[in-house]
Amino acid sequence: MATIELQKKAVQIVLEKKKLTGVKARVALILDISGSMKKLYRDGVVQQAVERILAVASQLDDDGALDVWVYDNEFSRLTPVTEMGFPNYVEKAILSDNSIHKFGRNDEPLVMKDILTKYLIEEPSDDPAFIVFINDGGCKPGIKKFIVKSSSQPIFWQFVGIGDSNFDVLRRLDTMEGRVVDNANFFHLNNLEEVSDETLYEQLLNEFPDWLVEAKKVGILK
């Protein structure tokens, strides 16, 4: 458990720096499981990502649990991960589960629709949802519809591009028109596993504080 404790401390430092202590949010991790991601699953990089984002959930989420989805051209909602259940989570909950569709093509709009269903229809809440979306390129332009649609809702999308593929769709997020507030951010990492916890958390939580301010101004958040 030593690593997760260090990661939680790193998150806490960034939260203090960005004046986010005391902020509550539901945290979700959306994992690309298209064919090009296979090596990252096999090599433990995705497991490491789950642990690192779990540390964020442990500081922001009321129950400390991290909601998880995986997607290729289908999607699966997984059992939320907790500090008790994160060892070997990727192997147990994803790779060993034959009912989960894996290593096909990527289709982000499908999973985004389900995320909005969960947070806006099935489990509405006054707490915002902070969605960390990890993708290794070739994101479908259809994501725009769901980002625009959710711009009046308590949902913030944080896209993380990994590897050296094409991220043109995600790079245009900041100039996307038709939104109530800017509710999405993107940054790119060549190698997720080589970035320090502090650097990762700084980038993950870079635009979220600004969105919280803007969302309150227009009445999206109380």
Side-chain angles (χ1 to χ4, degrees), residues 102-120:
K102 308 174 187 73
F103 310 129
R105 303 178 314 280
N106 55 307
D107 189 346
E108 291 77 20
L110 269 181
V111 70
M112 291 174 81
K113 182 178 180 183
D114 192 58
I115 292 161
L116 296 184
T117 297
K118 177 180 169 73
Y119 290 126
L120 300 180

Side-chain angles (χ1 to χ4, degrees), residues 41-173:
Y41 278 87
R42 301 289 183 219
D43 290 353
V45 175
V46 174
Q47 172 67 29
Q48 187 187 47
V50 170
E51 293 173 19
R52 294 168 94 177
I53 307 304
L54 175 60
V56 177
S58 75
Q59 301 300 299
L60 286 177
D61 202 299
D62 265 345
D63 62 4
L66 175 66
D67 293 333
V68 184
W69 278 259
V70 291
Y71 78 96
D72 53 3
N73 47 297
E74 298 183 18
F75 69 86
S76 297
R77 270 193 218 184
L78 305 184
T79 308
V81 61
T82 63
E83 284 186 51
M84 295 297 289
F86 78 84
N88 299 317
Y89 178 83
V90 167
E91 181 59 45
K92 288 185 299 192
I94 303 172
L95 296 178
S96 297
D97 187 340
N98 293 328
S99 70
I100 293 174
H101 201 270
K102 308 174 187 73
F103 310 129
R105 303 178 314 280
N106 55 307
D107 189 346
E108 291 77 20
L110 269 181
V111 70
M112 291 174 81
K113 182 178 180 183
D114 192 58
I115 292 161
L116 296 184
T117 297
K118 177 180 169 73
Y119 290 126
L120 300 180
I121 298 169
E122 295 173 4
E123 300 173 21
S125 168
D126 289 338
D127 289 340
F130 178 65
I131 315 290
V132 179
F133 207 115
I134 294 180
N135 163 272
D136 76 339
C139 211
K140 291 267 182 84
I143 68 169
K144 178 178 178 181
K145 170 184 165 185
F146 294 97
I147 293 172
V148 171
K149 179 182 175 182
S150 62
S151 69
S152 61
Q153 303 295 332
I155 289 185
F156 184 80
W157 305 90
Q158 178 59 67
F159 289 89
V160 184
I162 55 174
D164 55 4
S165 216
N166 178 339
F167 296 103
D168 287 354
V169 170
L170 293 174
R171 291 188 197 284
R172 291 196 290 268
L173 283 179

